[in-house]
Amino acid sequence: MALITISGYPCAGKTRRAHQLKDQLEQRLADSAYEGPKLKVAIVSDDTLNLNRNAYDESRSEKPARGALLTATQRQMGVDTILIVDALNYIKGFRYQMYCAAREHKLRVCTVYVVATKDLCRSWHEARTDGLSYTPETFENLLMRFEEPSSMVRWDSPLFSVMWEEESVPTNGIWTAITAGNIKAPNSGTQVVAKAPVDALHTLEQTTSSIVSAILSSQASASTLGGSTTLALSATLNPRISLPARNLTLSELQRYKRQFVTVHKKAITLGSTEKGAVNWSEESIADKFVDYLEENLKP
């Protein structure tokens, strides 16, 4: 349904805002005036995953911690879930990863930026007694490395900023964003490419060779050159082709066959060059090769 990313300085009050938002969204979903699909609101965070704050002390422990958060986020994404990610989310590259994952699941997205001054965050951090604090060095490092969300970039927008002195989050705007906002199509570069059948290359070579042979055979037995010709490849495969009114040589047809096969070999080994699934059946290859020959054999 939707992904809501919470971002802000450490100890800026992100968890409080996440729970405020969860409570208010659940109230709207339970309201008798709500007529939409049945949804649940979930929060995923370092705390729900039992990730220790010490993971942020150095990069070799922080990277797997962020990986665990991303994996848990992807696992809980769904059309029936409004998912709130309550974490530092201070690196724009990580926010972009979650944005791409949401697009893959066809979810609406928004970012909530919990704003507080560095001095306030320091004082709140020093006052913590719940054992969820950072070392002083790590805390200062996180403040310095924080990359502020921007409404100018697609992975942070729509962006809602919540100042520390505000009583609550802007639920109305967030609700509109996650229920009526645009659902962006997945990035083509991140989509899984359907693999060609194991016999696709053999079918490609055999079918194109059969068409070349059938054209030469038909040409040799015809009383006149050119015109619409039916190629008898098998009992069930008889494509028609329009040939020019001239004698076609084996070398010419073989040249076009090599060109056609080379292009489609790349599609087989590297993935589809076309949108959607590619049909590698004999019928489909024959039709494509006939079209290719007709285009290149035009006078």
Side-chain angles (χ1 to χ4, degrees):
M1 172 61 178
L3 173 71
I4 302 173
T5 303
I6 308 288
S7 181
Y9 285 144
C11 289
K14 297 184 298 299
T15 297
R16 179 169 70 94
R17 300 301 189 182
H19 285 279
Q20 276 184 343
L21 181 57
K22 181 177 185 291
D23 292 342
Q24 293 179 24
L25 292 176
E26 287 179 336
Q27 288 176 15
R28 292 194 176 219
L29 293 171
D31 193 295
S32 59
Y34 174 69
E35 298 179 345
K38 186 176 181 180
L39 302 172
K40 62 181 178 181
V41 184
I43 294 178
V44 61
S45 67
D46 289 349
D47 296 337
T48 63
L49 299 175
N50 295 317
L51 297 176
N52 197 292
R53 296 296 192 275
N54 294 336
Y56 293 93
D57 290 346
E58 50 187 32
S59 59
R60 65 181 179 182
S61 58
E62 180 182 347
K63 187 174 180 180
R66 284 205 309 271
L69 180 64
L70 179 61
T71 299
T73 299
Q74 291 174 307
R75 188 182 300 118
Q76 294 192 48
M77 286 179 178
V79 294
D80 64 341
T81 303
I82 299 174
L83 184 61
I84 301 171
V85 183
D86 169 29
L88 286 171
N89 300 324
Y90 69 101
I91 300 174
K92 61 184 178 182
F94 184 65
R95 296 197 297 269
Y96 177 70
Q97 281 184 287
M98 291 194 293
Y99 165 79
C100 290
R103 288 182 63 171
E104 286 297 308
H105 287 78
K106 298 180 180 179
L107 308 181
R108 294 182 176 91
V109 298
C110 74
T111 302
V112 177
Y113 178 22
V114 181
V115 182
T117 66
K118 291 183 179 180
D119 288 338
L120 274 175
C121 293
R122 287 190 184 97
S123 64
W124 291 337
H125 180 253
E126 291 170 359
R128 296 196 78 147
T129 58
D130 55 5
L132 299 177
S133 58
Y134 305 90
T135 64
E137 296 79 9
T138 299
F139 182 81
E140 292 298 326
N141 186 37
L142 291 172
L143 289 179
M144 181 181 65
R145 293 169 58 196
F146 180 75
E147 296 176 333
E148 184 176 329
S150 170
S151 60
M152 301 300 292
V153 297
R154 61 188 183 279
W155 57 87
D156 286 335
S157 62
L159 177 64
F160 301 91
S161 296
V162 187
M163 303 300 291
W164 69 90
E165 70 268 24
E166 295 182 29
E167 290 295 326
S168 186
V169 293
T171 310
N172 288 337
I174 295 172
W175 177 261
T176 300
I178 64 175
T179 58
N182 293 329
I183 299 177
K184 297 182 179 179
N187 287 325
S188 59
T190 63
Q191 295 187 72
V192 177
V193 177
K195 293 183 179 180
V198 293
D199 62 343
L201 185 57
H202 173 74
T203 304
L204 176 66
E205 288 280 1
Q206 186 178 53
T207 304
T208 51
S209 295
S210 297
I211 289 176
V212 168
S213 299
I215 291 174
L216 293 174
S217 177
S218 175
Q219 186 175 257
S221 60
S223 56
T224 58
L225 296 176
S228 181
T229 304
T230 299
L231 305 177
L233 303 185
S234 68
T236 57
L237 186 57
N238 301 283
R240 293 186 64 81
I241 185 171
S242 295
L243 299 174
R246 62 181 178 85
N247 190 56
L248 300 175
T249 65
L250 173 61
S251 59
E252 181 181 14
L253 291 173
Q254 289 282 29
R255 183 175 71 253
Y256 289 129
K257 171 185 174 293
R258 284 194 300 271
Q259 293 171 356
F260 180 84
V261 169
T262 298
V263 170
H264 286 75
K265 270 186 179 179
K266 291 180 180 178
I268 292 173
T269 56
L270 301 179
S272 170
T273 58
E274 306 176 17
K275 292 183 179 179
V278 176
N279 187 345
W280 294 104
S281 66
E282 284 184 322
E283 294 81 0
S284 177
I285 292 173
D287 290 341
K288 288 177 181 291
F289 188 43
V290 163
D291 291 342
Y292 182 82
L293 287 175
E294 287 180 338
E295 181 65 28
N296 287 276
L297 291 173
K298 286 182 179 179

